[in-house]
Amino acid sequence: MNSNKLRESFLKFFEKNGHKIVASSSLIPDDPSVLLTTAGMQQFKRYFLGEPSPYGNKVVSCQQSFRTSDIDRIGDKTHLIFFEMLGNFSFGDYFKEGAIKLAFSFLFEELKLNKQECYFTVFKGDKDTPFDKESFSILKKLGVPESKIKKMCRKENFWGPTGLEGPCGPTVEIYYKELEIWNLVFNEYFRDKHGKLSPLEQKGVDTGLGLERLAKVIQNKPSIFETDLFEPIMREISGKNERAKRIISDHIKACTFLISEGILPSNKDRGYILRRLIRRIIGLEKILGLSNNFLIGLVPKVVEIYQDIYPEIKSKEAEIMTVIQNEGERFEKALVKGLKQFEKISLKGNISGIDAFHLYDTYGFPLELTIELAEQKDLKVDKQGFESAFKKHQQISRAGIEKKFGGIGKQAGDESIKLHTATHLLHQALRQILGEGVKQMGSDITAERLRFDFSHSKKMTETEIKKVETLVNQKIKQDLKIKKEEVSYEKAIKSGALAFFKNKYPNKVNVYSIGGFSKEICGGPHIKRTSELGVFRIIKEESSGAGIRRIRAVLE
Ligand code: SER
C-alpha cells in the first residue's frame, strides 16, 4: 500500500469510528514555550484540559511534526527530524480500553498485520505514579500473553507534557518486529510548571503512529528510507555513504517544510535550526562529492512526494529553492576558508576536540565533515573532546546572554515593540506602492532597527523608497489606533487580514489592525497608537536573494 493510501486509510478508519478528521496544524505552534510542533496532540492541548472542542470529543489527524531531539540518531533506519504523525484523540470520550481496541482493530483487522510479531509495553509505576494495571489487564483480555507485555519505567512509558506544563500520563507502546510504531498516551494528569502532578478531571487519549515507520512495515522495507516517502529523494543522491544520504534526505524535507512556513535561515530560534540543517547538508554534500547546486534539485523531489497532500509546498517551490540556494552560497565562502584551516590543523596530526569545535563554531563545519576529511588523511577526531568543548561553549554563551540582557531587557523589549508595529505599517505601505505581489518573506527586529524581507522582482527606485517612507510617516502622524481581536482563522482571512503560512494557523488567531490601513494575523505585541512611533526612516534597500528584497529601517 502506498503512503498516500496508508494515510487515508488511517483517517477513514477513525472517521468510520466516529472521529472528526482535522487537518494538520502549523509546524509553528500557538504554544510560545515550544519552538516547533513535535506531536499531533499539540493543537489539541487545550481540549485535554476541558475546553470544549469545536470538532467534538473524538478527532483524528495526520500531523506534520518536527523533533530536533533525535538529531543524533538520524541516519539509522527509523529516526527522522521531520515526520508525519497519525493520531486519534479522545477528549473525555473513550479511554484505555477504547483506545487499545481501536488500535488493535486498525492494525490487525484493517491492515492485517501479524499480531504474533508484536509486543507491548506498559508503565510499571514509580514513587509518583502507580503501575498502569488497567492497560496491562486490557492487553491480556485481548489475548496478548504476559510474556509479550513488558513493564517499563517513566522514561519509556510516561509521556508529556509538551512545553512547560500540560496534560500527561502513562502509555502503551506497540512494537512490531522490535520497532516502536504506535504510542498510546492516556492523559490522566496535569503537570504544572514546577513538575507537580494532579489528576485531570477529564481523561483523554492521545495516540501517535509514525507514518514513515508504518510505511516501512507495510511496504516491508529494510528502512524508512526505502519507502515511497523517501525513495524518490534517495534515488537522486549518488555515493556510497548510506548514512550521509539518509541525513540529506531527512534534512532536505525538514528544510522544505520549514521554509514553506515562512521561516528563513537566521541566527536565532527556528531560523537557526533551519540554518544548521542547510549547512549540515552542504557539508555532507562535500563528503559525497556532490556538486554545489545539487541540493536545490532535491526540493522538487520532496514536492513530488507531498504535493497532493500539502499543496502549499508546491506553490512555494521556487521560493524554497531560492532560500536554500542563498544560504548555500553564503555558507560556501565560510566552507572554503574552513577547508584551508582544516589543512593547517591536520598537519599537526590527529584532530583535537577543540580544533574540531573551532571548525564547527567558526566555519560551520558539521562534525561528520571533519571526521570524513580526517579519515581521508588517516587521522582521527577526538569526538568526546568535541562534545565537551560544545557543552562548555553553550554554558558560557548562556551566562553571557543573561549578563548582557539582565539589566536592559525591558527597555530593549519596548523599543522593539515599536519597530514591530512599524513593520506592519511598512508592509502595507509596500503593498500599496509596489503592488499586492509584495509578500512578507522574513522579518527580524533588534532594539535598534527592523529588517524586512519581501517578494519583489526588481530593485526599488529612489522614488519608490521615498513614497513608502512618506506613506508610513503619514500613517504615524494620523495617530491611528491599534486594535487586537481574537477570531477564527477563517474569519480573519475573510476579513482580509494578511497571513503568510497558508492553512497552518491555530484555530483561533490574533488579528492586529492599524486604523483602516493594515490588518495582519500576528502574535503581537504592539503599541497602542501610531503617534508613539516618531519618525520612520528607511536606511537601506538591497537584494536578499532572487526575487527577494530587504529593507532596513529605523525609528528616530
Ligand atoms: N504525544 C505522543 C507522542 O508524540 C502520542 O501522540 O508520541
Side-chain angles (χ1 to χ4, degrees):
M1 197 189 294
N2 72 32
S3 54
N4 282 355
K5 287 243 166 63
L6 211 47
R7 197 188 281 107
E8 190 183 317
S9 81
F10 183 86
L11 297 172
K12 286 269 147 52
F13 171 84
F14 281 94
E15 187 179 43
K16 211 168 60 198
N17 282 284
H19 294 65
K20 169 114 182 108
I21 301 178
V22 179
S24 173
S25 69
S26 167
L27 271 178
I28 303 175
D30 59 353
D31 177 352
S33 64
V34 198
L35 219 46
L36 291 161
T37 299
T38 57
M41 61 81 66
Q42 205 132 15
Q43 66 165 323
F44 304 125
K45 207 166 157 180
R46 59 182 113 171
Y47 311 132
F48 285 111
L49 301 176
E51 190 178 308
S53 149
Y55 314 110
N57 289 340
K58 293 191 282 184
V59 302
V60 59
S61 71
C62 175
Q63 175 67 47
Q64 294 179 11
S65 306
F66 202 98
R67 284 193 186 170
T68 45
S69 53
D70 285 330
I71 192 151
D72 294 334
R73 296 160 88 171
I74 317 294
D76 71 3
K77 293 181 176 168
T78 53
H79 284 90
L80 295 167
I81 282 207
F82 171 84
F83 61 99
E84 288 174 277
M85 193 182 259
L86 302 167
N88 57 293
F89 306 86
S90 150
F91 316 122
D93 196 284
Y94 58 83
F95 197 46
K96 295 181 181 176
E97 181 161 10
I100 296 174
K101 280 188 173 163
L102 280 167
F104 272 42
S105 169
F106 180 68
L107 291 179
F108 308 129
E109 289 161 27
E110 187 80 13
L111 296 183
K112 306 208 170 11
L113 275 190
N114 183 356
K115 194 167 157 194
Q116 307 313 318
E117 298 281 2
C118 286
Y119 74 84
F120 306 84
T121 62
V122 297
F123 180 54
K124 73 174 177 187
D126 59 18
K127 64 176 184 8
D128 297 322
T129 325
F131 163 49
D132 185 5
K133 205 157 95 193
E134 193 183 344
S135 295
F136 189 80
S137 315
I138 296 165
L139 287 167
K140 276 198 346 197
K141 211 168 76 189
L142 292 173
V144 181
E146 272 193 34
S147 61
K148 289 204 165 173
I149 312 174
K150 298 189 187 177
K151 295 177 188 164
M152 308 289 278
C153 63
R154 176 172 291 264
K155 190 168 157 276
E156 303 295 333
N157 277 69
F158 195 95
W159 204 87
T162 57
L164 299 176
E165 57 180 11
C168 56
T171 69
V172 163
E173 290 185 350
I174 304 178
Y175 285 73
Y176 182 80
K177 292 188 179 169
E178 304 295 322
L179 174 66
E180 182 203 328
I181 53 170
W182 204 341
N183 188 13
L184 314 181
V185 182
F186 305 121
N187 282 320
E188 26 182 342
Y189 301 100
F190 179 82
R191 202 183 93 134
D192 71 15
K193 285 192 185 81
H194 312 288
K196 191 169 156 284
L197 290 177
S198 46
L200 276 176
E201 250 168 59
Q202 168 197 290
K203 292 181 176 165
V205 172
D206 147 31
T207 86
L209 169 64
L211 176 66
E212 294 77 3
R213 289 189 180 187
L214 187 64
K216 171 192 175 311
V217 167
I218 298 296
Q219 295 170 13
N220 199 16
K221 301 291 184 190
S223 86
I224 45 186
F225 296 96
E226 280 90 15
T227 66
D228 62 340
L229 286 164
F230 276 99
E231 201 275 330
I233 309 173
M234 290 289 281
R235 203 190 322 139
E236 292 294 304
I237 315 172
S238 54
K240 287 211 169 55
N241 188 329
E242 192 61 19
R243 185 166 172 275
K245 283 161 68 172
R246 288 174 176 176
I247 297 174
I248 293 178
S249 313
D250 168 69
H251 286 14
I252 190 70
K253 256 194 206 183
C255 294
T256 300
F257 278 91
L258 286 181
I259 300 168
S260 82
E261 298 269 7
I263 298 167
L264 291 174
S266 76
N267 284 335
K268 65 175 207 273
D269 299 342
R270 304 177 183 107
Y272 185 65
I273 296 175
L274 175 61
R275 168 160 286 167
R276 289 246 72 97
L277 292 179
I278 298 179
R279 294 186 169 199
R280 189 167 186 218
I281 330 184
I282 293 172
L284 292 170
E285 244 178 41
K286 296 274 174 263
I287 293 176
L288 294 176
L290 301 168
S291 72
N292 285 351
N293 274 336
F294 169 79
L295 189 55
I296 52 168
L298 294 180
V299 175
K301 296 290 151 191
V302 180
V303 171
E304 189 183 304
I305 297 170
Y306 291 105
Q307 58 188 350
D308 294 339
I309 313 295
Y310 305 113
E312 65 274 15
I313 68 163
K314 175 76 188 153
S315 63
K316 293 198 171 165
E317 186 172 343
E319 276 167 43
I320 295 166
M321 288 164 80
T322 306
V323 170
I324 295 179
Q325 185 169 13
N326 287 348
E327 180 63 17
E329 282 166 7
R330 219 167 286 154
F331 182 48
E332 258 328 295
K333 292 187 196 120
L335 207 55
V336 171
K337 284 193 202 143
L339 282 170
K340 279 199 193 127
Q341 179 69 11
F342 176 83
E343 289 303 323
K344 252 199 243 161
I345 292 169
S346 61
L347 294 177
K348 296 189 287 187
N350 287 341
I351 313 290
S352 72
I354 304 260
D355 279 341
F357 180 73
H358 179 64
L359 284 169
Y360 165 81
D361 193 39
T362 311
Y363 303 102
F365 264 45
L367 183 63
E368 288 94 353
L369 180 59
T370 306
I371 295 174
E372 180 68 27
L373 292 169
E375 271 171 9
Q376 286 169 12
K377 291 182 183 277
D378 269 337
L379 297 174
K380 289 209 163 42
V381 179
D382 177 3
K383 288 186 221 163
Q384 267 184 349
F386 174 88
E387 296 300 336
S388 47
F390 186 82
K391 287 212 179 90
K392 202 161 146 203
H393 171 82
Q394 266 184 332
Q395 280 160 4
I396 292 169
S397 48
R398 213 169 286 139
I401 286 169
E402 276 159 22
K403 200 165 149 212
K404 202 153 127 202
F405 294 112
I408 59 158
K410 173 103 181 40
Q411 201 187 345
D414 288 350
E415 190 51 52
S416 49
I417 295 174
K418 285 185 185 171
L419 285 163
H420 187 188
T421 306
T423 302
H424 281 221
L425 290 175
L426 168 64
H427 186 191
Q428 185 55 32
L430 285 166
R431 287 170 65 88
Q432 281 199 7
I433 306 293
L434 302 177
E436 307 248 308
V438 167
K439 265 198 305 175
Q440 173 170 344
M441 299 293 287
S443 161
D444 179 69
I445 294 170
T446 68
E448 288 82 32
R449 57 112 184 101
L450 69 84
R451 199 180 75 199
F452 186 72
D453 289 354
F454 58 100
S455 51
H456 185 58
S457 53
K458 306 190 279 288
K459 183 168 174 51
M460 285 175 74
T461 62
E462 282 300 322
T463 325
E464 282 169 340
I465 295 175
K466 246 308 46 74
K467 274 191 185 161
V468 169
E469 208 177 69
T470 310
L471 183 53
V472 172
N473 281 318
Q474 220 175 49
K475 296 296 154 188
I476 293 177
K477 280 214 194 86
Q478 285 172 4
D479 191 21
L480 302 174
K481 202 167 156 204
I482 290 115
K483 202 175 83 194
K484 173 180 150 185
E485 270 178 301
E486 198 188 71
V487 293
S488 73
Y489 175 74
E490 287 74 26
K491 195 164 167 217
I493 294 299
K494 269 205 200 113
S495 77
L498 298 178
F500 303 96
F501 318 128
K502 220 170 72 195
N503 298 337
K504 296 291 199 53
Y505 277 93
N507 313 319
K508 284 270 183 208
V509 294
N510 285 336
V511 173
Y512 278 90
S513 7
I514 309 182
F517 182 62
S518 138
K519 198 174 217 182
E520 286 192 28
I521 296 181
C522 170
H526 285 278
I527 53 155
K528 299 256 180 302
R529 306 193 72 99
T530 55
S531 62
E532 292 171 42
L533 296 181
V535 178
F536 173 83
R537 198 160 62 83
I538 294 178
I539 49 176
K540 194 159 189 188
E541 192 274 348
E542 61 189 335
S543 164
S544 169
I548 306 177
R549 307 298 302 175
R550 167 170 290 180
I551 281 183
R552 286 173 207 270
V554 291
L555 288 170
E556 292 173 336

